[in-house]
Structures are given as structure tokens and as C-alpha cells.
Amino acid sequence: MKTYTALSEIQADLQNKQVSCVSLLDHYLGRIESSNLNAFLEVFDQSARAEAQRVDEKINAGTAGRLAGMVIGIKDNLCYKNHKVSASSKILEGFESIYTATAVQRLIDEDAIIIGRLNCDEFAMGSSNENSAFEPVKNPVNLEYVPGGSSGGSAAAVKAGLCLATLGSDTGGSIRQPASFCGVVGFKPTYGRISRHGLIAYASSFDQIGPFTHTVEDSALLYEIMAGTDEYDGTTSQKEVPAVTFNQDSGKKKIAVIKDCIEREGIDPEVKAKTLSTIEALKNEGHTVEMVDFPFLDHMVPCYYVITTAEASSNLARYDGVHYGYRSPDAVDVESTYVMSRSEGFGEEVKRRIMLGTFVLSAGYYDAYFTKAQKVRRIIRDRSDEILADYDFMLTPTTPTTSFKIGENVDDPITMYLQDIFTVQANLAGLPAISLPMGEHSNGLPFGIQLMGSRFEESALLSFAQQLMNN
Ligand code: GLN
């Protein structure tokens, strides 16, 4: 079967009967079976086959939805009724969802087929997929390298053609950084645009679901279908979701480039060169591109880690060995049930973050850390808004470097945290941001360029991103 990289190609072949949903599904199941990436934790072959048959019937009857033919993998932190979900954690091993995430349900309602659940960092905490309780994912471009994280399985599966598109979640870069490392499109919409109902919480004021695809058009379609208010998530916006339009001249744009992202030490020279040549190309097309000051780069990662660990320590309190999930077989009373189940069930990084989050929320340190970080977040948000009042978009590299080797940074949490230096701004400020595969390094690995837009202006961001990518 030919390798598809866009839904439009699949739908054309479905129409002229060159393929069926069942044959497509078999193709992908075969590819997953023979792949050695460890991207999928489980394939849902039975339910996916039943869905594929149902969608084929709808195609024949002329009643198929907009996503007919789209085979999707979901990150293992998204609930799908009667299917397992574990957040790649031992503490939830064997747990089955009792309802379906709103985002996933909306895709199914348009006839997407959910093929399985994808490996990730435990509870979406990490930048390399090495924090999974079920072994790391490998980068399909070079198997010795990490695919990025936390949605590493989601990025790797799209790149390797194990399904057409995937869903991930992005709290500080978990969609965009792996998209950059694997060479695919990764899109994080505005905070509150897509319901978090059925997404296992990490840091609730940051978490956002988004797609991985080969093309901006497919990301836009998935986004449009998932977006919009939801009665099960009070933080979803009531705003209309305007349709994204492509290939229309939307005029010349003003783009801000954060000076520090280009000039700071540690950025790979080839990533820098590609970012600069992209800027030149944009200028040659008549867009205005200017360097702007944003002197908060060094504050963003600490601010992010104080607030997200605080929120995580509260969100993860529910895994106590009582309600659901893992319970230590050696527990003898309430106290030991809590202590032993959590100590044995959570991985190292998750425990580190729960401790850090509990510390910054403790009475004696609350003001010094948590309150202070909230204030810093406000400043970052305000300054980002100020820039976006003058400019249409902000542009940065997605990550300072290309992927690193599996094992290379596991003992160095600080280096790992600095992976997020360019991506956390969008989460701290709640802005939509996309990573586009824009380069290949001489080391053979891909890397991305990030565009950030104004809150709820996804349409403008996506149509410009498509132009940039197709140039
Ligand atoms: N790498 C970041 C972290 O470890 C981002 C994770 C995410 O976006 N879920 O927190």
C-alpha cells in the first residue's frame, strides 16, 4: 500500500475504491506489528476493526463523516471508554476508562478510527519518553535517539507511518518538542480551546490536547473538530471556532523574533542558521520581521516547574492505592496503603515532582515560591500579549538542538528541563503554538521552527503556518 501523508489523499482513494478503511487499518496494524519503536503500548484491533467496517458502510451509503479514513493513535493519557489507559505509569496499569475524552469522542463522531494508545513519559512528565514505565520510545529517524517527550510515541508513530495522525497533550512543550525531534507537525491550541475532559491531568492550568500530523491542513481539521466549549470542562472557552482557510492571500504579516532565542548560548549553529534563513525568506516575501526583547527566558523554566509541580502534586494525590490503580500487596493499614502504593507505583521523576510541588505549596514556602511564580507567570503573559498587540506572530526555534541519544541526559534533570526553554512561554501565557518541520541537520536529524499566535487566533496561525511550510 502506498504511504499516505494526508487525509485528502486517503479520501480520494476511498472514493475511487482503491482502498477501504478495513484495508487501511490492516496496513497500519501490519506496520505497527513490524515496527521496533515501542511507540504503541496497545493496539485496539478489535474495536478499530469494528469501526473500520462501520465507516466503510457509511462511505458506501454516502453518509461518512469528515474524518472517514483517518486512523488515529491516542496518547496514553486520553480516556477511551472500555479501553485501557495508564499515563505510562505502573500506578494505573490495567485501569480501564469508563468514559471517553470529549476530544476523542468528537473525532469518533466524525468517523475517525482509534487504532491504539501511545507510549509517553509517565503522567506526561518529561522531554524524552525515557520516563515511561514501559520502556522508552525510539526516534524513527535514528533508533539510538529519543523521539522527544512527553508525547514521544505520538510523534514517532506519525513519522514512521504507523497511523496517519495522533493526539498528544502539551503542558510545556510535549507536542511541539517531539514534533521537532521527529520531523512532523505538532500543534498546541490556545489554553481552553479544546476540552480537557478525559485527559489525565498533569498541570491543569497548562494542559492542552493537540494533534500530530504530516500536514498543517490535517492538524487544522482535527483541531477544528475537537475545539469548542464543553459542559464537562469549565475552562473551555465559549468563543466560536472559526473555520481555518488556506491558500488565500492574507496579506503581509508582522513577525516578532525573540532576540534571546537566537542569540543565547547553547543553541545549535545549524538550528540558528535555519531560523535566520527562514527570517530572510519571510522578509523577501514582503513580511516584516523584527527582533524583540523578551528578557524572561531564564525565568520561564523555573516559573514553569514551580507552578506545574504544585498543580501536579495536587492532581496526583488521587492515586492513593484506595480509589483505583496499583495497591501495594504488602500494605497492612491505611497509612502503609498510601505510602507503599505511591512509593512503588510512581516512577522517579513523578516522585521528584510531587515532592517539589508539595514543598513549594507548604506553608513556610508558599509565598516565596508559588505566589512568586504566579506573579512571574503574569509578567510573562502580559509581555507576550504586548508583543502580540504589535505583531501577528512570534517565531523561535522549537528546541535549541536536535534530538539527543537515549540515556544521554537521564541523570541530569536540569538539562532535561532546559529542553523546554522555547516552548513553555506558550503554556505560561496560554497561547496557541505550532512546530513545523523546517530543517534537517547535517547529523541527519530533523528539527522544527515554532510559531506562536494570539489567544484564540488559531485560524490565522494555521493558515500562515501552512504558507511557511509550503514555501
Ligand atoms: N518537558 C516538559 C515537562 O517535563 C513538558 C511536558 C509536557 O508538556 N507535558 O514538564
Side-chain angles (χ1 to χ4, degrees):
M1 186 174 281
K2 76 180 186 211
T3 314
Y4 292 101
T5 54
L7 181 62
S8 57
E9 297 166 8
I10 291 178
Q11 290 187 336
D13 285 356
L14 283 168
Q15 276 310 316
N16 61 33
K17 306 278 175 225
Q18 294 214 336
V19 288
S20 64
C21 291
V22 171
S23 68
L24 259 175
L25 178 69
D26 283 335
H27 163 75
Y28 287 128
L29 289 172
R31 288 191 62 92
I32 296 169
E33 177 81 40
S34 60
S35 115
N36 52 358
L37 302 173
N38 198 31
F40 276 90
L41 291 176
E42 184 184 1
V43 287
F44 303 145
D45 42 353
Q46 282 186 6
S47 58
R49 189 169 304 279
E51 282 296 292
Q53 283 162 350
R54 193 183 58 82
V55 181
D56 277 336
E57 282 163 23
K58 285 178 85 174
I59 293 170
N60 288 334
T63 57
R66 288 194 283 168
L67 294 178
M70 190 171 259
V71 177
I72 294 186
I74 56 176
K75 184 175 179 178
D76 188 36
N77 60 358
L78 286 159
C79 294
Y80 181 20
K81 188 173 176 176
N82 298 333
H83 293 78
K84 289 193 180 116
V85 63
S86 76
S88 287
S89 179
K90 222 176 109 182
I91 214 157
L92 274 175
E93 199 172 359
F95 177 78
E96 224 170 70
S97 301
I98 52 171
Y99 61 87
T100 300
T102 301
V104 174
Q105 188 60 50
R106 289 185 181 176
L107 300 183
I108 295 172
D109 290 345
E110 288 290 347
D111 291 334
I113 296 159
I114 310 297
I115 190 171
R117 60 188 169 99
L118 292 151
N119 204 346
C120 56
D121 282 303
E122 185 177 4
F123 285 100
M125 297 175 187
S127 300
S128 67
N129 224 116
E130 294 167 291
N131 296 336
S132 167
F134 307 109
E135 302 290 319
V137 177
K138 293 175 180 153
N139 191 318
V141 181
N142 184 331
L143 300 180
E144 289 180 10
Y145 285 75
V146 302
S150 63
S151 316
S154 303
V158 172
K159 182 64 178 182
L162 309 184
C163 51
L164 183 67
T166 57
L167 294 187
S169 63
D170 191 312
T171 306
S174 278
I175 292 177
R176 292 159 286 150
Q177 185 253 19
S180 173
F181 277 11
C182 290
V184 296
V185 173
F187 175 44
K188 180 201 93 74
T190 307
Y191 178 79
R193 193 55 128 165
I194 294 177
S195 168
R196 291 179 291 110
H197 175 66
L199 167 67
I200 293 179
Y202 160 18
S204 305
S205 75
F206 295 73
D207 298 342
Q208 185 58 194
I209 297 170
F212 287 88
T213 56
H214 293 279
T215 67
V216 177
E217 288 89 337
D218 281 351
S219 269
L221 180 64
L222 290 168
Y223 149 77
E224 257 180 64
I225 291 169
M226 290 188 286
T229 180
D230 177 25
E231 61 173 321
Y232 297 115
D233 176 1
T235 61
T236 49
S237 162
Q238 307 274 334
K239 281 193 188 356
E240 282 296 305
V241 183
V244 186
T245 50
F246 291 114
N247 304 320
Q248 276 174 7
D249 186 12
S250 50
K252 300 303 171 205
K253 301 291 182 199
K254 271 187 86 180
I255 298 143
V257 177
I258 296 171
K259 209 190 300 167
D260 203 11
C261 292
I262 305 288
E263 287 172 2
R264 74 182 289 114
E265 250 176 72
I267 173 161
D268 179 280
E270 288 184 43
V271 173
K272 178 174 171 173
K274 177 68 194 177
T275 311
L276 292 173
S277 68
T278 305
I279 293 171
E280 278 316 301
L282 286 167
K283 283 185 185 164
N284 289 339
E285 283 165 29
H287 301 291
T288 305
V289 190
E290 287 168 352
M291 294 282 174
V292 298
D293 282 319
F294 185 79
F296 307 113
L297 233 49
D298 291 329
H299 305 287
M300 275 197 293
V301 169
C303 173
Y304 167 83
Y305 276 94
V306 169
I307 305 176
T308 54
T309 55
E311 292 186 16
S313 71
S314 152
N315 273 328
L316 271 57
R318 71 191 74 174
Y319 308 105
D320 54 8
V322 177
H323 289 84
Y324 37 66
Y326 177 79
R327 178 181 298 171
S328 172
D330 302 322
V332 290
D333 53 16
V334 176
E335 167 109 15
S336 62
T337 301
Y338 288 164
V339 173
M340 295 176 82
S341 303
R342 287 168 69 79
S343 302
E344 293 163 21
F346 287 131
E348 287 307 302
E349 180 62 24
V350 173
K351 284 190 257 191
R352 179 182 296 127
R353 295 198 191 192
I354 292 173
M355 287 192 287
L356 187 59
T358 308
F359 175 78
V360 299
L361 288 175
S362 59
Y365 293 99
Y366 191 96
D367 281 340
Y369 291 102
F370 188 65
T371 308
K372 183 103 168 253
Q374 295 283 24
K375 289 180 182 165
V376 174
R377 183 180 196 180
R378 185 73 205 199
I379 292 169
I380 290 168
R381 180 189 160 110
D382 288 350
R383 177 65 187 134
S384 302
D385 286 351
E386 264 169 46
I387 295 174
L388 288 166
D390 286 339
Y391 295 87
D392 297 294
F393 311 110
M394 287 186 272
L395 184 146
T396 71
T398 308
T399 48
T401 61
T402 52
S403 173
F404 44 89
K405 281 205 167 139
I406 294 174
E408 193 177 322
N409 289 332
V410 270
D411 296 325
D412 187 355
I414 302 291
T415 303
M416 209 62 115
Y417 293 175
L418 285 172
Q419 276 298 311
D420 306 320
I421 186 139
F422 300 150
T423 48
V424 291
Q425 182 186 357
N427 306 79
L428 285 162
L431 305 171
I434 190 165
S435 177
L436 303 169
M438 291 291 282
E440 198 192 281
H441 197 276
S442 57
N443 64 16
L445 295 165
F447 59 90
I449 283 187
Q450 171 178 242
L451 268 181
M452 281 176 271
S454 297
R455 224 163 280 121
F456 300 109
E457 298 289 340
E458 284 91 348
S459 306
L461 179 68
L462 289 163
S463 56
F464 189 72
Q466 187 247 16
Q467 267 182 46
L468 184 63
M469 214 174 127
N470 294 350
N471 274 347

